[in-house]
Amino acid sequence: MRIIKVLKIALASFIVLVGLISFAHAAPLPVSIVTGSAGSYNNSDGLLTDNTFAVEGSVWTGSTNVWWYDANSNYPVFYIMYDDIYRLEDMIVSVDNNDNYNVDYFNYSANSWFSLFSILSEYGNVTWGMDTFVIQTEIGFTPVNTDFIRIYGNGGDGMYAISEVWAWGSPISTPEPATMLLLGLGLLGLVGVRRKTQK
């Protein structure tokens, strides 16, 4: 009977910890630097990671967006650096839906930029204006290890906008606190069960 009680407590603890781990992944990766270069644009590049998404179908020149006209292919490039190297696993990106955008990541081993994914003008689910994409669900990419990405427009009607760029992932340099806590509680549970069975 005591073993069943211990197992029930261990199961309840496991469920709570899984919930905490899921909650820990709800926040986007912490950003260290956001900067734009190579071309002119309207509004602050800090809007790209300010946690304010444009309303679906809203005007592309809205106050929550970084936007620009570009008839001469002088595309601004926006760089986002995170506070550590992560295994980049998913992203949410909000852009004007009738343009093409590229997202690249920096590979330190090769000392070069590589394509992560592209958002094409035919993608999306609104007929006009700003559109938010959950990348792994709608487009997909292979997870990569990086702390540095860039996003830029690359073809379309010459009127571009980006509202928000969120990324999720797992740190690769140190174990997550929630994972270590789960492991520690699991080991304590095993020790407790072993002691109970010995008695």
Side-chain angles (χ1 to χ4, degrees):
M1 285 301 216
R2 290 184 180 178
I3 292 176
I4 293 174
K5 185 177 180 181
V6 169
L7 290 174
K8 284 181 181 178
I9 292 170
L11 180 60
S13 300
F14 176 77
I15 291 169
V16 169
L17 286 172
V18 167
L20 288 174
I21 291 169
S22 299
F23 179 77
H25 286 289
L29 297 181
V31 173
S32 294
I33 299 170
V34 181
T35 187
S37 65
S40 60
Y41 50 91
N42 295 276
N43 294 338
S44 164
D45 49 33
L47 290 175
L48 299 178
T49 58
D50 70 346
N51 300 335
T52 305
F53 284 85
V55 175
E56 292 282 287
S58 63
V59 63
W60 65 283
T61 55
S63 61
T64 62
N65 307 337
V66 177
W67 57 273
W68 65 98
Y69 295 101
D70 195 344
N72 301 316
S73 299
N74 185 24
Y75 304 122
V77 178
F78 300 96
Y79 298 90
I80 301 172
M81 179 171 273
Y82 301 102
D83 71 341
D84 201 350
I85 296 177
Y86 292 88
R87 180 162 179 78
L88 192 61
E89 297 163 351
D90 201 358
M91 294 185 72
I92 294 181
V93 181
S94 177
V95 295
D96 185 23
N97 75 336
N98 54 355
D99 303 297
N100 302 327
Y101 299 87
N102 293 340
V103 175
D104 301 334
Y105 72 98
F106 192 76
N107 182 310
Y108 287 98
S109 299
N111 197 30
S112 185
W113 290 96
F114 291 92
S115 176
L116 188 59
F117 61 87
S118 295
I119 299 172
L120 302 181
S121 58
E122 61 264 24
Y123 295 171
N125 52 23
V126 299
T127 58
W128 182 90
M130 298 303 291
D131 200 352
T132 301
F133 296 87
V134 180
I135 301 303
Q136 286 294 30
T137 303
E138 299 177 66
I139 299 170
F141 66 88
T142 301
V144 296
N145 295 339
T146 192
D147 66 346
F148 204 10
I149 65 168
R150 67 184 182 187
I151 183 169
Y152 51 96
N154 186 19
D157 64 4
M159 295 176 284
Y160 300 87
I162 306 171
S163 174
E164 199 71 19
V165 180
W166 278 15
W168 282 268
S170 306
I172 62 169
S173 55
T174 55
E176 296 179 42
T179 303
M180 295 306 293
L181 181 62
L182 180 61
L183 178 62
L185 285 176
L187 291 173
L188 284 174
L190 288 174
V191 168
V193 169
R194 182 179 169 94
R195 284 186 178 171
K196 292 286 184 184
T197 56
Q198 285 178 345
K199 288 182 181 179

